[in-house]
Amino acid sequence: MAQFRDLDEFFDDSLSLPIGGKTYRIPPADAETGLFCQRLMAAGIDAANGREVDAANLDDDGETDLYRRVLGTAYAEMIADKVTWPRIKHAGVTAFLWIAGDADTAAKYWDAGPEEEAPEAGAASSTPSRGSTSGTSRTPRIKAVTAKRSAGKTS
């Protein structure tokens, strides 16, 4: 019978994000948050592909709550360190993509930086532009990243 090593010996289920010379450790999501993120990702993919989505859009409070959930203890640490909101949002979306997708997708988003919305997402979305005061300005970009990620997969 096969003998398995303890998963804790080799499995790192956290994410490290460097911001302003400090590395923040994003703890692994609990099962409830992980499943929520996967449902949200699926809704984003459906919306990006023009399918009807039966899910409420995140308002500013819901978006803030999402970042708190996906960043875990690092959220409070970032607030205490006075990390700017755009950087927290970027870290939050990165953590969301890591939880709902994988590290490669999250890294691509992280490395893209705070660019303008992806053209294909902005053209079909009624979400406010990046210059708006609404906290939901990243939603089209999330949809674009998730749609591109899912395009090569088969069910």
Side-chain angles (χ1 to χ4, degrees):
M1 178 181 258
Q3 193 71 290
F4 290 94
R5 293 185 311 166
D6 188 313
L7 194 58
D8 290 340
E9 291 178 19
F10 62 91
F11 189 78
D12 182 10
D13 54 359
S14 65
L15 179 68
S16 296
L17 298 177
I19 300 173
K22 179 176 180 175
T23 299
Y24 293 89
R25 182 185 170 276
I26 313 304
D30 59 40
E32 182 180 329
T33 300
L35 291 171
F36 172 76
C37 288
Q38 287 186 340
R39 284 193 306 271
L40 193 57
M41 173 80 78
I45 291 169
D46 286 347
N49 289 324
R51 291 192 281 273
E52 186 78 20
V53 177
D54 188 23
N57 288 329
L58 290 176
D59 59 14
D60 288 348
D61 290 336
E63 185 177 20
T64 300
D65 185 55
L66 175 65
Y67 298 152
R68 280 187 190 116
R69 289 176 74 175
V70 299
L71 292 172
T73 55
Y75 181 85
E77 191 178 350
M78 289 177 189
I79 295 294
D81 290 344
K82 298 190 180 349
V83 173
T84 64
W85 184 241
R87 290 171 182 254
I88 291 173
K89 286 173 50 171
H90 193 72
V93 173
T94 300
F96 165 78
L97 291 170
W98 167 64
I99 293 167
D102 56 44
D104 289 338
T105 302
K108 285 177 188 171
Y109 181 85
W110 180 262
D111 290 342
E115 299 173 4
E116 293 299 317
E117 298 173 42
E120 64 274 19
S125 174
S126 62
T127 304
S129 69
R130 229 171 125 65
S132 117
T133 57
S134 170
T136 58
S137 60
R138 299 289 262 217
T139 304
R141 196 154 167 231
I142 295 170
K143 289 177 185 174
V145 170
T146 58
K148 287 177 185 174
R149 180 176 175 269
S150 67
K153 292 189 175 183
T154 56
S155 298

